[in-house]
């Protein structure tokens, strides 16, 4: 059997310096841990509809902005989705990703289809409650409709977001498309979906309202 020989003097110092250097070269668990996730539940406005590259979308731009803070952005957006679809999809998304923050970007398709604002409010309210039950903060992205939908309907639709923000005490971005909606230079040919040039504006709109919630994202 080979006996281990005790190290002393210069040999011991050399051994310790090598071991310390080896260990310190690896990040600690705290340094490498994911600080948390932000789940975005939306429709085509967040799914990057019509963009030639998904990396152009505002969600991808938000991920790049938050990457240095070890925050993961999960995009659970589906073109054409309604608030009812969001209610059906949210539980599985919460269970799969355990987000610290949920961004709700839904309702535009409800409005374009002329669905009752009361149903939109009920669905968004249910999603807010579900997200909070799972321990997540909520950012609600408000929407507005074109004037051709009629003042009464458009006004009732817009008030849904304002009323929910007050009743549920959640962070609200009053108009997600602020600075983009109605500007033909920032819209695709359909006049509805933002183009690539508009995506940084949308990202900034969201980030300005998201920042206060990011204080809740801390390392486990």
């Amino acid at each position: 059997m080979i006996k281990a020989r005790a190290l002393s003097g210069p040999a011991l110092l050399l051994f310790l310096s090598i071991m310390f250097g080896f260990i310190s070269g690896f990040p600690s668990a705290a340094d490498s841990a994911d600080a948390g996730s932000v789940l975005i539940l939306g429709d085509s406005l967040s799914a990057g509809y019509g963009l030639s590259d998904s990396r152009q979308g505002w969600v991808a731009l938000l991920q790049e902005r938050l990457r240095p803070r070890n925050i993961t952005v999960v995009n659970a957006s589906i073109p054409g989705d309604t608030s009812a679809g969001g209610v059906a999809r949210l539980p599985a998304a919460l269970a799969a990703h355990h987000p610290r923050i949920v961004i709700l970007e839904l309702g535009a398709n409800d409005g374009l289809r002329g669905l009752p604002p009361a149903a939109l409010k009920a669905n968004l309210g249910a999603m807010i409650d579900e997200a909070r039950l799972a321990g997540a903060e909520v950012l609600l992205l408000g929407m507005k409709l074109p004037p051709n939908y009629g003042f009464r309907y458009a006004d009732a639709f817009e008030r849904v977001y304002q009323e929910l923000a007050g009743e549920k005490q959640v962070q609200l971005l009053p108009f997600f498309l602020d600075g983009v909606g109605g500007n033909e230079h920032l819209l695709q040919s359909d006049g509805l979906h933002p183009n690539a040039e508009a995506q940084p504006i949308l990202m900034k709109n969201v980030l300005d309202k998201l920042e206060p919630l990011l204080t809740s994202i801390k390392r486990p």
Side-chain angles (χ1 to χ4, degrees), residues 123 158 201:
N123 290 335
E158 182 179 347
I201 299 174

Side-chain angles (χ1 to χ4, degrees), residues 73-93:
V73 177
V74 178
N75 194 358
S77 301
I78 298 178
D81 203 13
T82 63
S83 62
V87 170
R89 295 194 296 116
L90 182 58

Side-chain angles (χ1 to χ4, degrees), residues 32-182:
S32 61
D34 186 6
S37 64
V38 175
L39 173 69
I40 300 174
L41 194 73
D43 50 36
S44 58
L45 297 175
S46 298
Y49 176 88
L51 300 179
S52 60
D53 190 332
S54 61
R55 291 173 294 183
Q56 296 175 321
W58 76 266
V59 176
L61 297 179
L62 181 65
Q63 174 64 90
E64 288 305 308
R65 181 66 68 90
L66 298 182
R67 193 181 306 280
R69 296 156 76 168
N70 290 330
I71 297 173
T72 300
V73 177
V74 178
N75 194 358
S77 301
I78 298 178
D81 203 13
T82 63
S83 62
V87 170
R89 295 194 296 116
L90 182 58
L94 291 172
H97 303 291
H98 306 287
R100 306 289 184 87
I101 297 173
V102 172
I103 299 177
L104 295 177
E105 183 277 294
L106 286 168
N109 289 308
D110 295 61
L112 295 176
R113 298 178 187 184
L115 300 179
L120 171 63
K121 185 175 182 180
N123 290 335
L124 290 174
M127 285 185 276
I128 291 171
D129 293 342
E130 186 84 22
R132 281 181 161 167
L133 189 63
E137 300 282 350
V138 177
L139 171 59
L140 182 62
L141 305 190
M143 289 298 300
K144 297 180 181 181
L145 293 176
N148 60 302
Y149 277 76
F151 173 78
R152 290 183 61 184
Y153 182 77
D155 181 64
F157 177 88
E158 182 179 347
R159 280 191 287 108
V160 163
Y161 298 93
Q162 299 167 354
E163 292 172 359
L164 275 175
E167 294 168 7
K168 300 290 187 179
Q169 293 296 293
V170 295
Q171 185 82 334
L172 172 68
L173 171 57
F175 185 32
F176 173 43
L177 299 181
D178 188 32
V180 174

Side-chain angles (χ1 to χ4, degrees), residues 18-38:
I18 292 173
M19 287 303 297
F20 181 79
F22 177 77
I23 294 172
S24 64
F26 289 88
S28 67
D31 288 339
S32 61
D34 186 6
S37 64
V38 175

